[in-house]
Structures are given as structure tokens and as C-alpha cells.
Amino acid sequence: MSEQPTQKRFNLRTLIIYLCIGAGIYSAFIGPSILKPISPVVVLPAEPTGLAIGGFQITNTILATLLADVILLAIAVFVVGRFMRSGNLVPSGFYNAFEALIEFLWNTVENAAGKWAYRIFPVPATIFLLIFVANLIKLVPGFESIGRIKEVHHGYGYAPVLLAKVGGLSIYTIDKGQRREHVAKEGKEGKEGGHGASHEEESKLCEACEIVPFLRGSATDLNFPFALAFVAVLMTQVYGVWALGIGYFEKFIPIRQLIKGGAMGVINFIVGILELILEFAKILSFGFRLFGNIFAGTLLLSIVGALTAVIVPVGLYFFEVFFGIIQAYVFYLLATIFISSATVSHHAEGAH
Amino acid sequence: MEKLGINLGFFLFQVFNFTILALLMYALAYKPIVRLLENRKNKIAQGLEDARVAAEARANAEKEAKAILAEAQNTAAQKVREATERAEIAAKEIIAQAEAQANKILEEARLEAAQERDRILLELRGQIASLAIAAAQKLIGEALDEKRQHALIEEFFSGVRAGKVVVLEGVELSGSSAEVISALPLLPHEQEAVKRDILSRIGEQSTVSFRVDPSIMGGLVVKVGDKVLDGSVAGQLESLRQSLQ
Amino acid sequence: MNDPVAFVNGLKLLGAGLAMISAIGAGFGVGLAAFGGVQAMGRNPDAAPIIQTNMILGMAFAEAIAIYALAVALIIIFAA
């Protein structure tokens, strides 16, 4: 390929790349205003998608989490399961990559936890895989850009433009050229949408609209990282009690040392209480680290995407892939270390 | 909290979701894969161990083979050496035997030849005496006393006069053995006389041997110990020649 | 000054921005951890896995400061 680059310059792939860049430049700077990218609306809480199971609103982040679950389970069933049934000894293809990933995780856990590795492995491994997949599928186009349109609560919205009608489904986009102020109206919010709204009257459609995506990165909702952090810290306690019995809690409330140790005992007692507080701080730290990185990444991506629609976001996408993996790894590594250190007796080292 | 989006329902849903996912993934993916990895690791370790054992066994076998080979070589070398030695000994024996036999044959032949010669010379002796007397008669022209003639000739041949060996007159002799050489074989009574005479001089225990050597022409040569008493005609002729010169 | 709500909102944003100043310290901390870690790995490549684990652990703790600041900023903007 590299032998005669001058002849290969105008091959199909390069042509497609040039066409994409050209289309990006056209839509962002030259073309009609409906093609132009818009600045995102920064919303912290997850938005409801309109779907509900028995009164339980499914938010877009929960939908994304479920999607990640489905992907993981599909890998487990169709890739791992098929390989296990085939009885092959030599791994190949996608299974090989997945096995290499699991082997890497397993080696880390085994190094950290030793004989407890078998028992604690599912927790950090699932944490890693779930964050990993959630962070990567977040970057697929369509996330955070396809959804219902609805009236903005405050700030600016844009006028909806009908694109096409497929059966009863009306597909809208919003026009950057028609920016409208939010008009406070009563009873005009909530239900209107461009999707499956055949029973709704078109006149009920929003005036100043924003898009509520169906799918939004799981880690951009605080519930997801905090749930994982909570599970990690909770499991740390569970494994600690499993390994050391009820004596595990001596770590937090060293009553024996308080009675026996004198002045040092008092200090140790206070240190123990501090450790107890640190356990809760761990949840905060775990959760906000993942959330902060991913949320900031998403925000950066959409803001830069709105400013310069071409070329620059590509580099940021690389960054996002990288950070997604790094955050998953950090979360996993910290969970592994905390859990495995909980299985080791605190007193054993103090007794020497 | 509500504004941050933290909602107990969503939170619990995420925890629940995670738990279910972890359990399912454990059953479907982690357990089989980890077991597979462990099996593979064990298998590799087993394979390496087997290979090591096999290599050891091979090394042992090689060592043993070498030892066996060395022993075989030693044995073979020893056998060859023994065979060679035996062959050499046998060859030496054969050679010695052959030599001894040859020597014996030679000795016998020589002895036979000497005896034959002695016999012939003895037969000749009478004729020689007759011829000498006839020649003397012709020269002198008159018939000599036949008996005296014979006695003279006998004395010439045997060197014995009146029972005494002529050369031994007035000589001191000592020694354990004596050899008497005559030109023609001596008659038995002459031999007896010579023997007696010599033994009377050097002692009864000594031995006397007789030999015939025609080159001394006549008379006797007696070797006793380190002394040679030359009473032969050839010796007298030699001394005459030397004195004439 | 004639719109107190806007004024308060502006001060909130200002406070959130100020809260993020602590990211300077966290940045230094993470950089320092990476510096030490990479140097140690360069000197002793055999111990790279252990060093890497500890480095990431240290970075995570240093980063936690920035994350607390981020939490504070977010709370100021959205919740306060």
C-alpha cells in the first residue's frame, strides 16, 4: 500500500473521508440553518423517555444502562457460550479478545486478592465491563441526539421543522435559524413529542423546543456511578465480614484498643472513626470521579461539536474513548484494591 | 438532591441492575472463562513438567547408553588383548617348538653325518694303511716287516705308542674333561688306551670325548682344561714351516 | 442590581468557577504522581506493574480533590 502512495491517493476510502469533511463544512457553515449543530442544553438529572413500566419512569440513562446490559449479556451468551459449547481449545476471533480482557482483569484481581480472587472477581469485573461498555456506546452517534422534542423550561428553544412522516410517526428536527425565547405557559409542557404522537394534535407541539434524547450516557447520570460506588463499598464490607468475621468492624470501632491501649488507644479509636467516615467519602469520590470525567467529556464534545462541526471533534472522540477506558479501569482497580485489602486482617500487621 | 438528579428509585434500580448483571455475567462468562484459564494454565504447567521429566529420562537414558557402550568397549578391548596375548604365546610356543624340532632334526642329521663319515673313515683306514705300505715298498724297493709296518701306521694314526699317548709324555695335566681329536676314527682298543692314559693323569672322575677331524692328517690333539697338546701331523708341519721361515 | 435573581445567579456561577480553582492542586498532584511513576518505571522496568498500580491509586486520590471541587461546583450551580 505504501509503495505507491501517489497512485492510491484518490481511492474510495479517502474520497469518503473528503466527502464527509465537505458535508460537515457545508452543514455547519454554508447550508440551510436546520443542518447547523446547536449548543446543548446542560441538564444534570436524567430525563424521562416517556416509557414506563408499572409507573416506574424509565429515564434515558437507565435505557442506556439496559442497552449496555443487553450487549454484555449477548456477548456472554452468544460469544462465550458458543465457544464453551464448541469445545474448541484454541480461542479465536471476538471471543479471543474478550477472553484476553477477562484474563487481564483476572490477573489483576488474583495478584491483589490471592485466594479470595474467586469470590471477589465478579464485582470488580462487572464494574469494569459495565462502565467500559457504557462509556463506549455513549460515543455512538444517535446518543444524545435522537429523542423527543419538548418545550424548554427556561432559556432558549428552537422552532421545530417537520422532516418526514413514516406512517403515524412524524420526524422533526429543530431549526437553529429560528431561535425563540422561552415563553412561560401553563399546562403546555411535558407530553408533546415528535415520536409516536399521532394522537396528539400538531397544534399542541412546542413553540420553543429542545430535544430530550432517548439515550444518554449512563455515567452522565449521578445515579449510575453512585450505585456502582455504593455496591463497591458495600461489597468491601461484605467481603471484610466474610473473611474476618464480625471482627472486621474492629477496623472502624476499635473498642478493644480503646480499653487496653491508653493514649494510643484513644488515637486509634479516633482513626477508626475517621476510617468509617472515609468509607462514605469513598462512595462520593468513586461516584463523582466517574461522573465528573464522563459528564465533562460529553459536555466538551457537544460544545466543541457545536462550535466547530468538523475535524476537531474527531480528536476529542479519541480522548473520550481513552478516558472512558481509563475511568473504567480506575474504578475497577480501586474497587479491587479496597475489597482485597478488606479481606486481609487489620490486626495481623499490627500484632508484629 | 433532586436537582442533581439523584433519585432513590433510579439509584435502587441501578444497584439492582448491577446485581443481576453481576450474577448473570458470573454464571455465563466469568466462571467458564476463569475455569478455562485455570485449566489452560494447569495444562501448560503439566505439559512443561512432562517435558522436563521426559528430558530428564532422555538424559538418563543417554547416560546409561554411554555407560553401557563404555563397558562394552572395555570388555571388547580386554577380549582382544587377551586373544592377542594368547595368540602371541601360542605363536611363541609354536615357533619355539618348531625351532626345537628343527634343531633336533639338524642335530640328528649332523650326528648321523658325523657317524657316517666316521664309519667311512674307519673303513678307509685299513685301505689307507695298505696303500701306505704298498707305496713304501715301491719306494724303498724291499718288503718291510709287515707287522712293524702296521704298527708304525697305527701309531701314526692313533698317536699311541705302547699304550701311552705320545703327546702326553712329560706334561702335567689338570682339568675335569678332556677332548681327543684324531685324523681318523680310533679303533676301540686305541680309544680305551687313550682314555686310560688320560684318566690316569687327571683323575678317574673326569670325562673323555673323542672327535674326528681329518684336517689334522695324523696324530692326536688333546685338549685338557685350557691346555691344547698338539701332537698332530698338521701341527708338526706348521711348526716346521714356521721354523724354516 | 435591579434584578436580584440574576445577580444571585451570577454569583453562583462565579462561586462554582472559584471552587474549581482547587483543580490546580489536583493537577499538580496527578502530574507529580505520573512524574514519579514514570521515572520509577524508567529506572526499574521490572517493577512496572506494581508501580503502575500504585501510581494510578495515588493519582486517583489526588484527583479526588478535584472531584470534590467539581461536586461542590455542581451543587452550587444546580442545587444551591
XYZ file of all heavy atoms in Angstrom, chain A residues 188-280:
715
model
N -48.744 23.520 29.173
C -48.339 23.275 27.781
C -47.031 22.443 27.740
O -46.424 22.279 26.729
C -48.128 24.654 27.118
C -48.239 24.702 25.620
C -49.638 24.402 25.067
C -49.681 24.727 23.576
N -49.353 23.523 22.784
N -46.611 21.931 28.893
C -45.325 21.243 28.951
C -45.511 19.751 29.105
O -46.551 19.268 29.493
C -44.498 21.777 30.122
C -44.079 23.212 29.914
C -43.578 23.821 31.193
O -43.428 23.063 32.156
O -43.357 25.026 31.216
N -44.463 19.046 28.886
C -44.444 17.634 29.249
C -44.695 16.703 28.098
O -43.772 16.151 27.548
N -45.935 16.523 27.704
C -46.268 15.343 26.921
C -45.978 15.461 25.439
O -45.867 14.457 24.759
C -47.760 15.024 27.123
C -48.044 14.430 28.501
C -48.551 13.014 28.353
C -48.589 12.311 29.709
N -48.943 10.889 29.540
N -45.909 16.666 24.932
C -45.779 16.796 23.490
C -44.479 16.188 23.007
O -43.441 16.295 23.631
C -45.826 18.273 23.056
C -47.003 19.015 23.553
C -46.708 19.727 24.839
O -46.089 19.095 25.722
O -47.066 20.886 24.923
N -44.531 15.551 21.862
C -43.296 14.962 21.330
C -43.460 14.646 19.881
O -44.573 14.560 19.356
N -42.356 14.447 19.215
C -42.354 14.150 17.794
C -42.428 12.671 17.532
O -42.390 12.240 16.393
N -42.496 11.891 18.564
C -42.410 10.447 18.332
C -43.704 9.799 18.776
O -44.205 10.038 19.879
C -41.198 9.886 19.081
C -41.533 8.780 20.001
N -41.859 8.997 21.297
C -41.606 7.443 19.805
C -42.100 7.845 21.864
N -41.961 6.882 20.992
N -44.250 9.014 17.947
C -45.452 8.242 18.253
C -46.607 9.121 18.736
O -47.436 8.705 19.521
N -46.617 10.372 18.267
C -47.592 11.313 18.816
C -48.743 11.508 17.861
O -49.251 12.594 17.664
C -46.929 12.651 19.107
N -49.163 10.421 17.247
C -50.197 10.546 16.246
C -51.510 10.994 16.869
O -52.302 11.666 16.223
C -50.396 9.219 15.510
O -50.621 8.197 16.457
N -51.682 10.622 18.114
C -52.940 11.014 18.747
C -52.914 12.460 19.207
O -53.926 13.024 19.557
C -53.260 10.091 19.927
C -52.154 10.019 20.944
N -52.136 10.839 22.024
C -51.048 9.236 20.998
C -51.061 10.567 22.732
N -50.387 9.597 22.136
N -51.679 13.026 19.218
C -51.582 14.424 19.641
C -51.879 15.326 18.449
O -51.574 15.006 17.299
C -50.165 14.718 20.155
C -49.748 13.851 21.339
C -50.285 14.417 22.655
O -50.750 15.580 22.620
O -50.239 13.707 23.661
N -52.451 16.469 18.719
C -52.651 17.462 17.675
C -51.362 18.188 17.393
O -50.567 18.435 18.291
C -53.733 18.467 18.135
C -55.105 17.866 18.244
C -55.621 17.388 16.908
O -55.494 18.111 15.896
O -56.128 16.241 16.865
N -51.124 18.520 16.122
C -49.890 19.225 15.774
C -49.835 20.607 16.396
O -48.765 21.127 16.654
C -49.782 19.355 14.250
C -49.078 18.150 13.645
C -48.450 18.464 12.327
O -48.012 19.625 12.134
O -48.366 17.576 11.477
N -51.017 21.135 16.637
C -51.040 22.475 17.215
C -50.503 22.481 18.625
O -50.063 23.497 19.132
C -52.478 23.002 17.215
O -53.266 22.147 18.030
N -50.530 21.279 19.264
C -50.039 21.196 20.628
C -48.517 21.162 20.710
O -47.956 21.132 21.796
C -50.599 19.934 21.297
C -52.004 20.107 21.825
C -52.367 18.872 22.590
C -53.659 19.093 23.347
N -53.992 17.895 24.129
N -47.868 21.053 19.538
C -46.410 20.967 19.518
C -45.780 22.220 20.118
O -46.350 23.286 20.105
C -45.950 20.804 18.063
C -44.609 20.121 17.864
C -44.674 18.681 18.362
C -44.258 20.149 16.394
N -44.575 22.001 20.630
C -43.920 23.075 21.353
C -43.581 24.239 20.437
O -43.454 24.082 19.233
C -42.651 22.551 21.991
S -41.560 21.786 20.787
N -43.453 25.382 21.052
C -43.060 26.574 20.300
C -41.551 26.719 20.294
O -40.916 26.783 19.259
C -43.680 27.821 20.956
C -45.177 27.783 21.049
C -45.824 28.319 19.789
O -45.354 29.357 19.287
O -46.775 27.703 19.298
N -40.978 26.745 21.528
C -39.511 26.788 21.663
C -39.092 25.424 22.177
O -39.421 25.056 23.296
C -39.092 27.881 22.635
N -38.464 24.651 21.311
C -38.267 23.240 21.606
C -36.826 22.909 21.946
O -35.883 23.561 21.518
C -38.684 22.393 20.413
S -40.382 22.625 19.990
N -36.670 21.812 22.706
C -35.368 21.192 22.891
C -35.561 19.708 22.688
O -36.683 19.193 22.728
C -34.810 21.469 24.290
C -35.673 20.869 25.384
C -35.094 21.071 26.755
O -34.067 21.755 26.855
O -35.656 20.543 27.720
N -34.467 19.010 22.459
C -34.550 17.575 22.224
C -34.251 16.852 23.522
O -33.236 17.118 24.186
C -33.559 17.148 21.131
C -33.984 17.753 19.792
C -33.489 15.640 21.044
C -33.001 17.530 18.697
N -35.132 15.948 23.888
C -34.872 15.092 25.043
C -34.441 13.743 24.492
O -35.257 13.005 23.945
C -36.125 14.937 25.909
C -35.829 14.008 27.072
C -36.583 16.282 26.391
N -33.148 13.401 24.574
C -32.663 12.187 23.904
C -33.224 10.935 24.550
O -33.494 10.878 25.737
C -31.153 12.276 24.058
C -30.945 13.155 25.225
C -32.074 14.128 25.248
N -33.395 9.926 23.721
C -33.819 8.626 24.230
C -32.690 7.945 24.978
O -32.913 7.181 25.908
C -34.273 7.722 23.080
C -35.525 8.188 22.432
C -35.623 8.291 21.057
C -36.626 8.521 23.221
C -36.793 8.720 20.469
C -37.796 8.937 22.627
C -37.878 9.043 21.250
N -31.493 8.165 24.488
C -30.326 7.512 25.092
C -29.322 8.562 25.514
O -28.999 9.468 24.743
C -29.675 6.552 24.085
C -30.505 5.330 23.705
C -29.912 4.672 22.471
C -30.562 4.358 24.858
N -28.866 8.421 26.723
C -27.852 9.354 27.213
C -26.854 8.525 27.996
O -27.249 7.574 28.681
C -28.514 10.387 28.119
C -27.611 11.536 28.462
C -28.387 12.543 29.283
N -27.698 12.818 30.532
C -28.176 13.626 31.464
N -29.346 14.170 31.331
N -27.487 13.851 32.551
N -25.584 8.892 27.902
C -24.531 8.113 28.567
C -24.882 7.803 30.015
O -25.246 8.694 30.779
N -24.759 6.535 30.399
C -25.187 6.145 31.741
C -24.449 6.920 32.812
O -25.033 7.320 33.821
C -24.893 4.660 31.953
O -25.320 3.925 30.860
N -23.152 7.155 32.585
C -22.344 7.765 33.632
C -22.602 9.271 33.732
O -22.070 9.924 34.621
C -20.863 7.504 33.357
N -23.415 9.832 32.842
C -23.716 11.251 32.968
C -24.891 11.476 33.901
O -25.321 12.602 34.108
C -24.033 11.864 31.595
O -25.153 11.173 31.044
C -22.867 11.762 30.677
N -25.393 10.367 34.444
C -26.446 10.470 35.451
C -25.829 10.034 36.767
O -25.216 8.971 36.841
C -27.601 9.542 35.043
C -28.683 9.513 36.100
O -28.589 10.313 37.046
O -29.586 8.677 35.975
N -25.951 10.841 37.794
C -25.274 10.537 39.057
C -25.699 9.200 39.660
O -24.940 8.583 40.391
C -25.535 11.661 40.072
C -24.530 12.809 40.015
C -25.001 13.937 40.897
C -23.169 12.345 40.456
N -26.910 8.764 39.344
C -27.385 7.520 39.953
C -26.488 6.338 39.612
O -26.223 5.490 40.444
C -28.806 7.211 39.470
C -29.774 8.209 40.013
O -29.779 8.479 41.209
N -30.571 8.811 39.144
N -26.055 6.292 38.338
C -25.270 5.154 37.878
C -23.924 5.050 38.598
O -23.640 4.023 39.236
C -25.106 5.259 36.360
C -24.248 4.204 35.770
C -24.723 2.907 35.603
C -22.960 4.485 35.352
C -23.933 1.938 35.039
C -22.167 3.516 34.785
C -22.657 2.239 34.628
N -23.075 6.103 38.569
C -21.800 5.965 39.291
C -21.977 5.775 40.789
O -21.241 5.005 41.404
C -21.054 7.268 38.970
C -22.046 8.164 38.388
C -23.124 7.341 37.797
N -22.994 6.438 41.351
C -23.186 6.276 42.803
C -23.664 4.885 43.140
O -23.284 4.323 44.162
C -24.165 7.324 43.338
C -23.464 8.595 43.702
C -23.889 9.819 43.216
C -22.351 8.547 44.528
C -23.215 10.979 43.543
C -21.691 9.708 44.861
C -22.119 10.917 44.361
N -24.488 4.317 42.265
C -24.928 2.945 42.523
C -23.726 2.015 42.498
O -23.558 1.155 43.370
C -25.951 2.518 41.474
N -22.856 2.186 41.487
C -21.680 1.328 41.408
C -20.767 1.552 42.609
O -20.247 0.594 43.202
C -20.909 1.591 40.111
C -21.636 1.246 38.825
C -20.688 1.372 37.651
C -22.184 -0.165 38.886
N -20.577 2.814 42.985
C -19.718 3.114 44.127
C -20.296 2.509 45.397
O -19.582 1.921 46.214
C -19.568 4.628 44.279
N -21.604 2.629 45.520
C -22.280 2.071 46.706
C -22.093 0.555 46.748
O -21.738 -0.014 47.785
C -23.764 2.425 46.658
C -24.568 1.786 47.744
C -24.443 2.227 49.055
C -25.423 0.736 47.469
C -25.169 1.631 50.069
C -26.146 0.129 48.473
C -26.019 0.582 49.774
N -22.286 -0.083 45.589
C -22.098 -1.538 45.548
C -20.667 -1.885 45.917
O -20.419 -2.801 46.715
C -22.456 -2.082 44.151
C -21.999 -3.523 44.018
C -23.944 -1.988 43.915
N -19.708 -1.141 45.350
C -18.297 -1.451 45.618
C -17.996 -1.332 47.107
O -17.382 -2.229 47.709
C -17.389 -0.517 44.811
N -18.427 -0.237 47.714
C -18.130 -0.040 49.135
C -18.891 -1.026 49.993
O -18.352 -1.589 50.951
C -18.443 1.423 49.530
C -18.308 1.601 51.032
C -17.502 2.359 48.814
N -20.149 -1.279 49.624
C -20.930 -2.258 50.384
C -20.289 -3.630 50.310
O -20.144 -4.332 51.316
C -22.362 -2.309 49.821
C -23.291 -3.269 50.558
C -23.660 -2.699 51.921
C -24.546 -3.545 49.746
N -19.861 -4.020 49.093
C -19.251 -5.328 48.946
C -17.928 -5.408 49.693
O -17.516 -6.473 50.161
C -19.043 -5.662 47.463
C -20.314 -5.910 46.696
S -21.508 -6.924 47.571
C -20.867 -8.545 47.245
N -17.224 -4.238 49.795
C -16.000 -4.220 50.601
C -16.320 -4.675 52.021
O -15.628 -5.527 52.592
C -15.408 -2.800 50.621
O -15.266 -2.351 49.286
C -14.074 -2.783 51.313
N -17.405 -4.128 52.592
C -17.788 -4.514 53.957
C -18.189 -5.979 53.998
O -17.828 -6.728 54.902
C -18.936 -3.652 54.488
C -18.848 -2.174 54.140
C -17.510 -1.577 54.480
O -16.927 -1.886 55.502
N -17.009 -0.720 53.598
N -18.971 -6.391 52.968
C -19.454 -7.769 52.959
C -18.282 -8.747 52.928
O -18.223 -9.706 53.714
C -20.390 -7.993 51.747
C -20.692 -9.476 51.589
C -21.671 -7.215 51.916
N -17.329 -8.491 52.026
C -16.186 -9.398 51.944
C -15.315 -9.321 53.188
O -14.730 -10.315 53.617
C -15.353 -9.106 50.692
C -16.005 -9.600 49.432
C -16.433 -8.715 48.449
C -16.197 -10.958 49.227
C -17.038 -9.167 47.298
C -16.800 -11.424 48.088
C -17.215 -10.533 47.122
O -17.822 -10.986 45.992
N -15.250 -8.120 53.772
C -14.487 -7.978 55.018
C -15.075 -8.852 56.102
O -14.348 -9.587 56.790
N -16.399 -8.815 56.259
C -17.041 -9.640 57.281
C -16.916 -11.116 56.935
O -16.677 -11.959 57.792
C -18.525 -9.234 57.437
C -19.229 -10.188 58.385
C -18.615 -7.808 57.956
N -17.026 -11.414 55.642
C -16.908 -12.801 55.202
C -15.533 -13.359 55.557
O -15.387 -14.495 56.043
C -17.144 -12.846 53.696
C -17.325 -14.217 53.120
C -17.232 -15.404 53.785
C -17.645 -14.533 51.771
N -17.461 -16.431 52.927
C -17.728 -15.935 51.679
C -17.876 -13.759 50.604
C -18.019 -16.593 50.476
C -18.164 -14.409 49.429
C -18.242 -15.808 49.366
N -14.508 -12.540 55.339
C -13.149 -13.048 55.537
C -12.748 -13.043 57.000
O -12.079 -13.959 57.475
C -12.167 -12.227 54.710
N -13.147 -11.996 57.748
C -12.609 -11.817 59.089
C -13.665 -11.986 60.177
O -13.369 -11.821 61.353
C -11.973 -10.427 59.220
C -10.919 -10.090 58.169
C -10.491 -8.641 58.315
C -9.721 -10.994 58.311
N -14.874 -12.271 59.773
C -15.922 -12.380 60.777
C -16.325 -11.007 61.279
O -16.014 -9.982 60.663
N -17.001 -11.019 62.422
C -17.520 -9.765 62.962
C -16.368 -8.856 63.403
O -16.513 -7.653 63.536
C -18.484 -10.057 64.130
C -19.513 -8.920 64.259
C -17.737 -10.280 65.427
C -20.546 -8.950 63.138
N -15.180 -9.463 63.564
C -14.000 -8.679 63.974
C -13.589 -7.655 62.944
O -12.780 -6.775 63.220
N -14.182 -7.774 61.751
C -13.830 -6.813 60.705
C -14.151 -5.396 61.147
O -13.433 -4.462 60.822
C -14.588 -7.163 59.431
C -14.486 -6.123 58.358
C -13.310 -5.972 57.621
C -15.551 -5.267 58.078
C -13.218 -5.012 56.643
C -15.461 -4.310 57.097
C -14.291 -4.192 56.376
O -14.186 -3.244 55.418
N -15.239 -5.260 61.913
C -15.668 -3.906 62.290
C -14.779 -3.287 63.348
O -14.902 -2.118 63.641
C -17.144 -3.927 62.735
C -18.070 -4.210 61.602
C -18.785 -5.389 61.544
C -18.205 -3.295 60.573
C -19.626 -5.656 60.489
C -19.047 -3.556 59.506
C -19.752 -4.744 59.459
N -13.869 -4.082 63.892
C -12.841 -3.524 64.791
C -12.058 -2.426 64.092
O -11.508 -1.538 64.725
C -11.885 -4.632 65.220
C -12.470 -5.579 66.255
C -11.967 -5.248 67.647
O -10.740 -5.064 67.770
O -12.781 -5.159 68.568
N -11.991 -2.564 62.761
C -11.253 -1.591 61.973
C -11.852 -0.197 62.155
O -11.140 0.796 62.229
C -11.320 -2.023 60.510
C -10.544 -1.182 59.543
C -10.482 -1.915 58.204
C -10.747 -0.970 57.054
N -10.959 -1.698 55.810
N -13.203 -0.151 62.270
C -13.861 1.149 62.371
C -14.074 1.571 63.818
O -13.944 2.743 64.143
C -15.205 1.088 61.644
C -15.082 0.690 60.225
C -15.749 -0.408 59.725
C -14.253 1.412 59.365
C -15.619 -0.759 58.406
C -14.111 1.048 58.042
C -14.799 -0.047 57.566
N -14.419 0.583 64.639
C -14.682 0.925 66.047
C -13.756 0.072 66.916
O -14.158 -0.975 67.422
C -16.156 0.656 66.403
C -17.064 1.288 65.321
C -16.491 1.227 67.762
C -18.483 0.807 65.407
N -12.501 0.470 67.037
C -11.538 -0.373 67.778
C -11.732 -0.254 69.292
O -10.907 0.339 69.995
C -10.192 0.162 67.310
C -10.457 1.556 66.894
C -11.886 1.653 66.477
N -12.806 -0.893 69.773
C -13.129 -0.787 71.199
C -12.040 -1.428 72.048
O -11.608 -0.893 73.066
C -14.486 -1.474 71.490
C -15.596 -0.715 70.743
C -14.782 -1.503 72.979
C -16.904 -1.441 70.762
N -11.536 -2.595 71.580
C -10.528 -3.307 72.360
C -9.283 -2.428 72.567
O -8.723 -2.367 73.646
C -10.160 -4.595 71.619
C -9.694 -5.697 72.546
C -9.310 -6.922 71.758
N -10.435 -7.509 71.057
C -10.328 -8.401 70.077
N -9.118 -8.774 69.683
N -11.383 -8.895 69.500
N -8.908 -1.732 71.507
C -7.730 -0.874 71.625
C -8.000 0.307 72.539
O -7.115 0.763 73.259
C -7.329 -0.375 70.235
C -6.836 -1.500 69.353
C -5.915 -0.986 68.287
O -5.329 0.084 68.430
N -5.774 -1.753 67.237
N -9.262 0.781 72.514
C -9.608 1.917 73.376
C -9.484 1.517 74.841
O -8.961 2.279 75.666
C -11.040 2.370 73.059
C -11.551 3.566 73.862
C -10.725 4.795 73.519
C -13.016 3.814 73.569
N -9.901 0.281 75.132
C -9.857 -0.157 76.529
C -8.427 -0.427 76.963
O -7.980 0.008 78.021
C -10.727 -1.430 76.696
C -12.203 -1.084 76.415
C -10.574 -2.015 78.087
C -13.062 -2.290 76.179
N -7.671 -1.134 76.092
C -6.342 -1.581 76.513
C -5.252 -0.537 76.296
O -4.320 -0.418 77.073
C -5.928 -2.833 75.711
C -6.611 -4.109 76.188
C -6.022 -5.291 75.424
C -6.789 -6.558 75.702
N -6.379 -7.632 74.781
N -5.370 0.198 75.189
C -4.197 0.901 74.662
C -3.815 2.192 75.351
O -2.769 2.747 75.069
N -4.649 2.743 76.216
C -4.286 4.003 76.831
C -4.404 5.138 75.839
O -5.376 5.214 75.079
N -3.375 6.009 75.834
C -3.405 7.196 74.984
C -3.439 6.812 73.514
O -4.208 7.358 72.712
C -2.188 8.077 75.282
N -2.598 5.810 73.168
C -2.576 5.350 71.776
C -3.924 4.758 71.384
O -4.365 4.876 70.243
C -1.484 4.291 71.581
C -0.089 4.880 71.347
S -0.024 6.106 70.032
C -0.210 5.040 68.626
N -4.559 4.140 72.358
C -5.875 3.556 72.112
C -6.880 4.613 71.712
O -7.673 4.412 70.785
N -6.823 5.742 72.386
C -7.747 6.830 72.049
C -7.501 7.306 70.632
O -8.428 7.488 69.831
C -7.600 7.986 73.067
C -8.462 9.160 72.644
C -7.962 7.497 74.456
N -6.207 7.469 70.313
C -5.882 7.933 68.956
C -6.367 6.923 67.921
O -6.982 7.276 66.903
C -4.362 8.153 68.833
C -3.962 9.344 69.715
C -3.958 8.394 67.393
C -2.491 9.546 69.829
N -6.106 5.631 68.228
C -6.550 4.596 67.304
C -8.057 4.599 67.139
O -8.570 4.366 66.046
C -6.096 3.222 67.805
C -4.646 2.966 67.460
O -4.117 3.582 66.534
N -4.008 2.096 68.215
N -8.747 4.879 68.227
C -10.212 4.926 68.169
C -10.671 6.028 67.235
O -11.537 5.824 66.385
C -10.764 5.155 69.582
C -12.256 5.063 69.651
C -12.881 3.812 69.659
C -13.042 6.201 69.708
C -14.247 3.712 69.717
C -14.414 6.109 69.751
C -15.017 4.860 69.764
N -10.026 7.175 67.376
C -10.401 8.299 66.516
C -10.075 7.988 65.062
O -10.851 8.261 64.138
C -9.688 9.584 66.986
C -10.200 9.952 68.385
C -9.918 10.712 66.006
C -9.373 10.972 69.085
N -8.904 7.327 64.844
C -8.533 6.945 63.487
C -9.571 5.985 62.900
O -9.954 6.085 61.734
C -7.120 6.305 63.484
C -6.837 5.645 62.149
C -6.073 7.361 63.763
N -10.037 5.074 63.759
C -11.057 4.126 63.307
C -12.323 4.841 62.883
O -12.900 4.540 61.827
N -12.753 5.816 63.694
C -13.950 6.584 63.338
C -13.735 7.310 62.019
O -14.607 7.351 61.147
C -14.281 7.594 64.466
C -14.551 6.854 65.785
C -15.475 8.443 64.074
C -15.806 6.027 65.786
N -12.494 7.827 61.859
C -12.164 8.527 60.615
C -12.275 7.583 59.430
O -12.770 7.951 58.354
C -10.730 9.059 60.705
C -10.613 10.558 60.964
C -9.159 10.941 61.158
C -11.216 11.332 59.803
N -11.817 6.346 59.638
C -11.916 5.356 58.557
C -13.358 5.093 58.177
O -13.681 4.917 57.009
C -11.244 4.045 58.983
C -9.740 4.079 58.787
C -9.168 2.716 58.501
O -9.824 1.968 57.746
O -8.093 2.404 59.026
N -14.195 5.088 59.210
C -15.626 4.891 58.950
C -16.160 6.007 58.068
O -16.891 5.771 57.105
C -16.381 4.852 60.281
C -17.843 4.450 60.212
C -17.987 3.075 59.619
C -18.470 4.503 61.584
N -15.741 7.249 58.390
C -16.182 8.376 57.569
C -15.606 8.254 56.155
O -16.282 8.522 55.164
C -15.743 9.702 58.220
C -16.446 9.841 59.586
C -16.046 10.877 57.324
C -15.878 10.916 60.447
N -14.344 7.782 56.092
C -13.695 7.642 54.792
C -14.434 6.666 53.891
O -14.430 6.824 52.670
C -12.249 7.172 54.984
C -11.220 8.292 55.110
C -9.838 7.710 55.282
C -11.266 9.159 53.857
N -15.052 5.653 54.505
C -15.813 4.701 53.696
C -16.914 5.417 52.921
O -17.135 5.134 51.747
C -16.426 3.614 54.585
C -15.424 2.631 55.170
C -14.703 1.808 54.126
O -15.376 1.159 53.314
O -13.455 1.827 54.115
N -17.578 6.387 53.612
C -18.622 7.138 52.920
C -18.015 8.102 51.916
O -18.560 8.310 50.829
C -19.505 7.874 53.929
C -20.328 6.930 54.748
C -19.945 6.570 56.035
C -21.481 6.362 54.210
C -20.694 5.680 56.764
C -22.227 5.479 54.943
C -21.841 5.116 56.226
